[in-house]
Amino acid sequence: MYFQKKRCIAMLLAGGQGSRLKVLTEKTAKPAVPFGGKYRIIDFPLSNCVNSGIDTVGILTQYQPLELNEYIGNGQPWGLNKTHSRAQVLPPYERYDKKSGWYKGTANAIYQNIDFIDRYDPEYVVILSGDHIYKMDYAEMVAYHEKNEASCTIAVRNVPLAEASRFGILNTNPDNSIYEFEEKPKQPKSTNASMGIYVFTWKVLRQALIADEENPDSSNDFGKNIIPSLLNAGHKMMAYTFDGYWKDVGTIDSLWEANMELLGKEPEFQIRGDERHKIFARNSALPSSYIDEEAKIYNSFVAEGSEVYGTVRHSIISIGCTVGEGALVEDSVVMPGVVIESGAIVRHAILGENSKVCRNAVVGGAYGPKDKKKISVTSKGAVVEENTVLAPGDML
Amino acid sequence: MNVMGIIFANDATMGDLTSKRTMASLPFGGRYRQIDFHLSNMAAAGIRHIGIISRHNYQSLMNHVGDAEEWGLELGEGGLEFLTPYAMSTTDRYRGKLENLYNAMDFLEYGSDDEDEYVIVADSSILSNMDLPAILAAHIESGKDITVVTKSGIANGEKRLDLAVKLDSKGGIQDIAVDYVAPADYLASMDTFVMSKAFLKHHVKECVARDKYHMDRDLVMGLWQHGLASLNVYEFEGIALFNESIEEYFRNSLALIDKEVRHDLFGAHHPVFTKVRDRVPSYYGENCEIENCLVADGCFLEGEAEDSVLFRQVTICEGAEVEHCVIMNDTVVGEGCELEYVILDKNVTVRPGSRLIGTAKNPIIVKRGETV
């Protein structure tokens, strides 16, 4: 087989369990969790790759991969199915030297796929994770990396000082070169939080991965091991500041928030109308949505193939959903294929794929402006029975 | 499945709506082109070898079909082929479908007769969600030469039908008529036929040799009248939409809002596939009022719409009122507009405050790309 040499390829870490998303990731890897009505989380980094001119993407899967694998398929929705472009799913495998099995950490996952990367003989490798919602031109970051002749460039964003201790913080010199990395520092010296997006010069990363693998004490993780060891070895490492929208949707609250941030006439995260940064998704082949004469929809998304008879306010209604007569959906994320029967009330909730809220059932509750919201969640296929209540913050 | 398909893209019969496109590429139902229904019917039946016959204006059709991936088909010999006049011309004008088929003989002769034993011929003006394997099975079981797929309730003493069939009380054929304003007891041909490939090839050659070119008149009715072919009349039970005039197109577009029609056309046997556009979900603004509408993806709705079909990426600005309208993709209805019984083609801009009022029989049509 012939492999075209690539200047830059991407490796997308999509194997994590996403345990903080609780019931939503019981049977699904986090990158396959639905988002924004018709997308899945992985559509964002994948579309970013394509929009940045990166046409070779290795996708490392491990946890509950069936749905994710089906979704990625041959990469066709993102145009990654051509002769010299591909989305290659890379599951863990049994190796001749028994040096492998499950991916032990993020760095180990890349280590086990050195052969895949070597085929393309790239100058640079972009390491991405499958649980962030953002639009970014990686080509600009790679150009920055190249211009600075760095070994590693890490995307950072400014976070409020009060929150800095929740992140991996990069302390930089005035020229943005990194002199120190602190994981969740108690006394943060700066507010440059790592976004978990790395550009590496492949030669340097390749050596570092091999060395890391030989160290029995390493937990084979980029943040904990690779970055500090490259810093200690005196490699030039740069911080690349990104000030666009970016959200880690690793928790129920942040997933709910990120969905809500798509709404409004001028939303915080605008995915409409930007032809050069289109987000691509696998096609659902559903017809247009039907909006009944009794329906009322305000400040909401309704994706294809839905039927709305009731009232929807400040919510995301995904593909193939039904909102029955007299039902009310407010401040909620309704994932694909959900049925909300007549008279049901859903507030501040995330309804998992194909779940069902039966007649006159109540999910979640309303909050005053200053109250702490508690999001109610239904898992994939769950049924909230007729006339029952799923209390605020409860999960089914 | 040992069947090949032929879809006639058809010439324009709808004035401004089809001045730059074939009937096959006419947008319909919010996010489809008419040919999507035929391609989906055939693809769902496992038919891979499909010829699309188009005489002219086929650029929009080729753009739409692209590499045919969305339907799970492949372009090229033995797959989906465009049988355009440049590729097949021996005469410069085609008078009827038989001449098209005659010039598509290379396509018909691809592979052995066993490989594609049967041919299903369809027409892109008539839309349905059809179980083609069941129709083929009925054809084979009948032992007849040609199966004509028909629909009751279309003939009404007013509509001119391409081909109409009347059955006697025992189900035998009492009358066949071509280009006929048939009374209600006739069945209307859906311009969908099943026959063996060998039969079709033979009779196309025979007809064209005798200067006969009209498929309904010369091949179906003519052969039957002369005792040269036996006919099986298959009555289709599902929804069939005959989009043969602007009035019918408009009425059928709005009929899709009805649940029964919509569910049948989009899901009776299989989903309907179309070209993916990767639009965002439609956004409903703080003050919009959308009632009894079919809404595609990518719309931005701040005004009012009632009893209408909104295609992809339609914008309805604040204070606009839209009623009984078909609005095609990327069209913008400005603030405070009032629209009733209007068809807005693609990329139309309606300036703020405009008032356009048509009627159900004579909807106003605004041409593609225009600003009014």
Side-chain angles (χ1 to χ4, degrees), chain A residues 38 286 289-291 299 307, chain B residues 31 262 279 283-284 292:
Chain A
K38 62 178 287 191
L286 291 170
S289 285
Y290 170 66
I291 312 301
N299 191 20
E307 306 208 333
Chain B
R31 52 202 302 275
R262 186 160 31 96
R279 301 292 179 215
Y283 175 70
Y284 295 71
N292 201 37

Side-chain angles (χ1 to χ4, degrees), chain A residues 70-361:
Chain A
E70 285 170 345
Y71 188 72
I72 295 163
N74 65 350
Q76 180 262 333
W78 306 273
L80 294 172
N81 60 333
K82 307 289 185 280
T83 308
H84 296 298
S85 65
R86 67 168 59 198
Q88 173 83 49
V89 173
L90 300 167
Y93 59 97
E94 188 178 341
R95 241 165 83 134
Y96 72 98
D97 56 6
K98 305 290 176 203
K99 257 186 162 177
S100 66
W102 298 114
Y103 293 147
K104 291 179 285 176
T106 51
N108 175 256
I110 305 293
Y111 169 81
Q112 291 199 36
N113 290 288
I114 285 177
D115 287 348
F116 170 78
I117 301 174
D118 278 345
R119 275 169 160 63
Y120 300 95
D121 188 22
E123 310 301 318
Y124 309 110
V125 175
V126 182
I127 307 285
L128 303 167
S129 52
D131 45 10
H132 301 155
I133 300 292
Y134 63 115
K135 290 190 288 189
M136 182 172 175
D137 186 353
Y138 303 138
E140 274 179 30
M141 184 172 166
V142 173
Y144 178 86
H145 175 88
E146 190 172 40
K147 193 183 88 195
N148 285 293
E149 296 177 349
S151 295
C152 170
T153 299
I154 303 173
V156 297
R157 55 192 279 276
N158 248 311
V159 293
L161 187 62
E163 289 177 26
S165 53
R166 286 172 37 213
F167 295 93
I169 295 296
L170 297 164
N171 299 317
T172 55
N173 300 308
D175 67 349
N176 269 349
S177 60
I178 301 165
Y179 67 85
E180 188 182 27
F181 174 75
E182 293 180 293
E183 183 69 26
K184 297 182 182 164
K186 286 206 176 70
Q187 306 269 307
K189 292 179 201 137
S190 81
T191 56
N192 282 331
S194 166
M195 294 163 59
I197 301 166
Y198 311 102
V199 177
F200 286 99
T201 299
W202 174 232
K203 266 192 296 199
V204 175
L205 177 61
R206 197 179 188 282
Q207 276 176 0
L209 289 172
I210 292 167
D212 181 66
E213 189 63 21
E214 281 166 3
N215 175 3
D217 300 328
S218 172
S219 49
N220 308 116
D221 183 86
F222 274 98
K224 286 187 196 127
N225 309 104
I226 300 290
I227 303 300
S229 80
L230 288 179
L231 259 180
N232 289 339
H235 279 281
K236 184 168 186 189
M237 302 181 67
M238 298 297 294
Y240 173 81
T241 308
F242 178 74
D243 52 16
Y245 181 91
W246 180 89
K247 194 106 180 177
D248 180 342
V249 288
T251 64
I252 295 287
D253 285 352
S254 64
L255 180 66
W256 180 86
E257 273 169 32
N259 272 285
M260 292 302 144
E261 281 160 2
L262 296 169
L263 299 177
K265 191 167 181 178
E266 276 152 24
E268 215 157 314
F269 185 40
Q270 178 66 277
I271 54 173
R272 162 183 305 281
D274 187 353
E275 288 294 312
R276 284 181 54 218
H277 269 288
K278 244 189 200 179
I279 308 302
F280 302 94
R282 189 166 279 283
N283 178 24
S284 52
L286 291 170
S288 297
S289 285
Y290 170 66
I291 312 301
D292 187 65
E293 53 192 330
E294 299 299 323
K296 293 187 171 51
I297 309 177
Y298 308 108
N299 191 20
S300 295
F301 265 9
V302 179
E304 298 108 275
S306 289
E307 306 208 333
V308 180
Y309 301 88
T311 299
V312 176
R313 195 174 278 131
H314 193 236
S315 293
I316 304 267
I317 308 293
S318 302
I319 51 177
C321 292
T322 304
V323 179
E325 275 169 56
L328 169 69
V329 181
E330 219 171 48
D331 303 309
S332 292
V333 178
V334 179
M335 288 185 174
V338 167
V339 175
I340 298 164
E341 292 188 342
S342 60
I345 297 174
V346 177
R347 284 186 168 121
H348 290 99
I350 298 178
L351 303 180
E353 271 178 278
N354 301 318
S355 61
K356 189 171 172 185
V357 181
C358 296
R359 286 166 67 90
N360 303 324

Side-chain angles (χ1 to χ4, degrees), chain B residues 129-185:
Chain B
N129 193 314
M130 229 177 224
D131 183 358
L132 290 177
I135 294 173
L136 178 69
H139 171 77
I140 294 169
E141 163 130 28
S142 77
K144 302 282 170 63
D145 295 317
I146 306 174
T147 288
V148 187
V149 181
T150 62
K151 181 69 193 164
S152 64
I154 302 294
N156 57 6
E158 282 175 31
K159 181 178 164 60
R160 184 171 288 277
L161 301 174
D162 290 346
L163 178 68
V165 186
K166 187 176 177 178
L167 299 181
D168 59 28
S169 57
K170 289 178 194 147
I173 297 170
Q174 189 182 324
D175 184 32
I176 296 185
V178 162
D179 199 21
Y180 175 49
V181 180
D185 56 352

Side-chain angles (χ1 to χ4, degrees), chain B residues 56-82:
Chain B
H56 37 67
N57 276 348
Y58 47 85
Q59 191 196 343
S60 71
L61 181 60
M62 291 181 90
N63 278 346
H64 177 70
V65 173
D67 56 8
E69 205 164 54
E70 265 102 4
W71 297 269
L73 300 167
E74 275 177 44
L75 277 192
E77 250 190 318
L80 184 77
E81 293 183 57
F82 282 93

Side-chain angles (χ1 to χ4, degrees), chain B residues 273-340:
Chain B
F273 292 91
T274 188
K275 184 169 179 149
V276 177
R277 294 281 178 187
D278 291 293
R279 301 292 179 215
V280 300
S282 284
Y283 175 70
Y284 295 71
E286 202 62 70
N287 304 308
C288 74
E289 281 180 37
I290 309 296
E291 294 175 6
N292 201 37
C293 286
L294 210 54
V295 182
D297 40 334
C299 293
F300 193 77
L301 310 173
E302 296 190 290
E304 296 177 21
E306 209 180 320
D307 305 324
S308 296
V309 176
L310 310 181
F311 282 66
R312 288 166 164 168
Q313 201 122 318
V314 164
T315 303
I316 298 187
C317 298
E318 265 181 47
E321 290 177 30
V322 168
E323 228 177 289
H324 304 293
C325 289
V326 173
I327 305 182
M328 295 190 197
N329 38 306
D330 300 289
T331 280
V332 179
V333 179
E335 283 177 24
C337 288
E338 200 184 327
L339 270 53
E340 268 179 57

Side-chain angles (χ1 to χ4, degrees), chain B residues 36-98:
Chain B
D36 292 341
F37 296 87
H38 304 91
L39 288 175
S40 299
N41 282 343
M42 289 187 179
I47 301 175
R48 293 287 167 265
H49 191 202
I50 299 171
I52 300 175
I53 293 185
S54 101
R55 288 190 242 191
H56 37 67
N57 276 348
Y58 47 85
Q59 191 196 343
S60 71
L61 181 60
M62 291 181 90
N63 278 346
H64 177 70
V65 173
D67 56 8
E69 205 164 54
E70 265 102 4
W71 297 269
L73 300 167
E74 275 177 44
L75 277 192
E77 250 190 318
L80 184 77
E81 293 183 57
F82 282 93
L83 308 171
T84 61
Y86 289 106
M88 63 188 189
S89 180
T90 55
T91 53
D92 26 286
R93 265 176 46 220
Y94 298 105
R95 293 170 296 174
K97 287 180 175 177
L98 295 183

